[in-house]
Amino acid sequence: MEKFFKLKERGSTVSKEIVGGITTFLAMAYILAVNPGILSATGMSFGSVFTATAISSAIATLVMAFVANLPVALAPGMGLNAFFTYTVVLQMGCSWQFALTAVLIEGLIFILLSVFGVREAIVKSIPESLKKAVSVGIGLFIALIGLANAGIASSSTGTIIGFVNFNLKNATALVAIIGLVVTIVLYVIKVPGSILLGIIITTIIGIPFGVTVIPENFKPFSIPAAPYLFKFEFTNIFTVKFLVVLITFLFTDMFDTLGTLMGVAEQSNLKDEKGNIKNCKEALLADSVGTVVGACLGTSTVTSFVESSSGVAAGAKTGLASLTTAILFLISLFFSGLFGLIPSAATAPALIFVGYLMMKSVTSIKFDDPTEGIPAFVTIMTMPFAYSISKGIMFGVIAYVICKVAGKKLKDIPVVTWILALVFVADIIFEAVK
């Protein structure tokens, strides 16, 4: 195991990887409840989608573990599942089988692009300053997710966004703040597995506050429902409507995934001597396979999860952490009630704290050079405020080209970056008129 996952080479241990894998799973386990909840609005069975979510997440994460050897977990992505349900099915009036078909074809296209190295070439074309900015932007983005999940950050304060009062009326927010303090103290005094311990302790603290709720007829064990299998609708794949849906899935998933991989690689220093992500091609292939498997089982697009950064923060550096996470996804099929006890207030402190850990890259960005600093700032700013990793990359690349052209530094712009910028501008126009 140590030789296969190259633990010594990457400065890790079995215990660190297992703790990291558990931490990642706990940070993203909410998807097991949220994804079926969203997709069930289309008429799909909650139980079947739950099973599809767990199995597709496990398979994709196993591919990531054994093929790419990276500590990145995958699951049906938030945002993509909302687009699947609320836009494609409920707004556009399409069937969920139509939406699943779009997800399937998206995955097949991504497999081809990954095999021929197209997606890897896109990653390599993104300037180094933007790669560092992506890491920082994701840190702020994931911290905002944690703040929102815990009910700490809210628009109910009378401003665009603000902090609620920390009292018993806002018990979830109060427990999350206590959990954040616990996590910080554990980390500062260098307790091994501080982030995972923080989640467990916060879950226990939440019991007297009524935040961690144990049902009267609590049953940790359950028999999983059968997933949907190959429920596709190919009759409308040559329509304009299908093309619009497919392009939206393709674009959002591609750059959400690229952003996550760049952020995790920057945080864990999993880069080669040229500064590129180790095993990038294999990681992108895992993402593509996960999407195809998910569509065949009956769930929306499977993508790399930004919450993987919490596992990296706990010490994960190899695919052994991903193997651990995948095993937990399979176990969750039978213990959905047990995992359901962990409240958002317990995982929120981990996500908020990861924001701090991912800020470290900001010190190496050349802000004294406006042609480097301004695009980096745009990237960092956009991710949390637009609530989108892909939009952060999009506007960052466009800003990079504008700044380099204005600064008469055309030689600094790689050909692929020019192409990306043009594609992004075309996408903005496409979104405006579609």
Side-chain angles (χ1 to χ4, degrees):
M1 185 180 293
E2 192 165 289
K3 183 180 291 186
F4 181 85
F5 289 111
K6 301 179 181 178
L7 299 183
K8 285 185 178 179
E9 180 182 317
R10 296 188 182 179
S12 187
T13 63
V14 172
S15 60
K16 283 183 180 179
E17 295 300 311
I18 292 175
V19 168
I22 295 172
T23 302
T24 292
F25 175 78
L26 293 178
M28 61 186 289
Y30 67 86
I31 198 65
L32 290 168
V34 175
N35 191 57
I38 291 175
L39 264 61
S40 61
T42 67
M44 301 177 78
S45 163
F46 184 98
S48 295
V49 178
F50 175 89
T51 302
T53 301
I55 295 176
S56 62
S57 300
I59 291 174
T61 306
L62 283 172
V63 176
M64 184 69 76
F66 290 111
V67 178
N69 193 22
L70 291 174
V72 178
L74 302 93
M78 291 296 295
L80 291 163
N81 52 11
F83 175 74
F84 181 108
T85 298
Y86 302 117
T87 300
V88 179
V89 178
L90 299 183
Q91 185 177 321
M92 297 175 67
C94 303
S95 67
W96 56 263
Q97 292 90 342
F98 174 97
L100 281 179
T101 308
V103 173
L104 172 69
I105 294 178
E106 171 211 349
L108 293 174
I109 291 173
F110 274 162
I111 287 177
L112 290 175
L113 292 178
S114 300
V115 169
F116 289 105
V118 176
R119 296 175 81 188
E120 186 180 11
I122 292 173
V123 176
K124 291 180 179 179
S125 73
I126 295 175
E128 191 63 26
S129 60
L130 289 189
K131 288 179 180 177
K132 295 181 185 299
V134 164
S135 176
V136 178
I138 288 177
L140 293 177
F141 177 59
I142 199 169
L144 180 58
I145 291 174
L147 290 168
N149 287 350
I152 296 172
S154 172
S155 58
S156 64
T157 56
T159 54
I160 295 175
I161 191 170
F163 276 15
V164 300
N165 293 323
F166 303 124
N167 53 42
L168 291 177
K169 290 183 179 180
N170 298 310
T172 301
L174 180 60
V175 169
I177 288 295
I178 295 171
L180 181 59
V181 172
V182 170
T183 303
I184 291 171
V185 170
L186 291 174
Y187 184 85
V188 171
I189 63 176
K190 299 181 179 180
V191 174
S194 54
I195 295 178
L196 175 58
L197 281 174
I199 293 173
I200 295 171
I201 293 171
T202 308
T203 300
I204 296 170
I205 291 173
I207 296 175
F209 286 90
V211 173
T212 302
V213 180
I214 303 176
E216 289 185 10
N217 299 319
F218 175 61
K219 294 180 180 179
F221 181 81
S222 59
I223 302 297
Y228 292 105
L229 292 174
F230 309 107
K231 298 292 185 179
F232 301 122
E233 182 184 297
F234 293 103
T235 54
N236 296 306
I237 62 173
F238 297 110
T239 63
V240 174
K241 183 183 289 187
F242 186 85
L243 181 63
V244 170
V245 172
L246 178 62
I247 289 175
T248 304
F249 274 132
L250 275 169
F251 185 87
T252 306
D253 184 26
M254 176 177 285
F255 292 99
D256 271 358
T257 298
L258 296 184
T260 298
L261 289 176
M262 285 190 291
V264 171
E266 189 70 38
Q267 182 190 2
S268 57
N269 197 29
L270 291 174
K271 298 184 293 182
D272 60 24
E273 61 279 358
K274 294 182 180 179
N276 297 315
I277 302 169
K278 288 183 178 179
N279 302 333
C280 181
K281 184 176 181 178
E282 293 81 357
L284 293 170
L285 183 61
D287 174 87
S288 307
V289 170
T291 294
V292 171
V293 171
C296 292
L297 292 173
T299 186
S300 53
T301 304
V302 173
T303 186
S304 300
F305 256 58
V306 70
E307 284 83 355
S308 301
S309 54
S310 62
V312 172
K317 291 185 178 181
T318 76
L320 180 54
S322 296
L323 172 59
T324 303
T325 303
I327 291 171
L328 289 173
F329 268 118
L330 292 176
I331 292 174
S332 68
L333 281 168
F334 304 95
F335 293 93
S336 58
L338 183 62
F339 290 112
L341 290 179
I342 302 170
S344 59
T347 55
L351 300 181
I352 297 167
F353 187 71
V354 165
Y356 151 71
L357 296 171
M358 297 190 74
M359 285 293 293
K360 296 175 182 178
S361 299
V362 78
T363 59
S364 56
I365 297 174
K366 299 176 181 178
F367 284 107
D368 56 337
D369 179 355
T371 67
E372 296 284 337
I374 292 174
F377 166 71
V378 169
T379 303
I380 293 168
M381 171 192 68
T382 303
M383 285 189 182
F385 294 151
Y387 215 71
S388 170
I389 295 173
S390 58
K391 280 188 171 59
I393 296 173
M394 178 196 303
F395 289 115
V397 169
I398 293 173
Y400 185 85
V401 171
I402 291 172
C403 289
K404 289 297 181 181
V405 171
K408 299 179 180 179
K409 297 182 177 181
L410 296 178
K411 292 182 179 179
D412 291 352
I413 309 174
V415 175
V416 180
T417 304
W418 274 108
I419 296 172
L420 274 182
L422 291 174
V423 170
F424 291 154
V425 170
D427 181 75
I428 292 171
I429 296 172
F430 175 75
E431 287 292 329
V433 302
K434 75 176 182 180

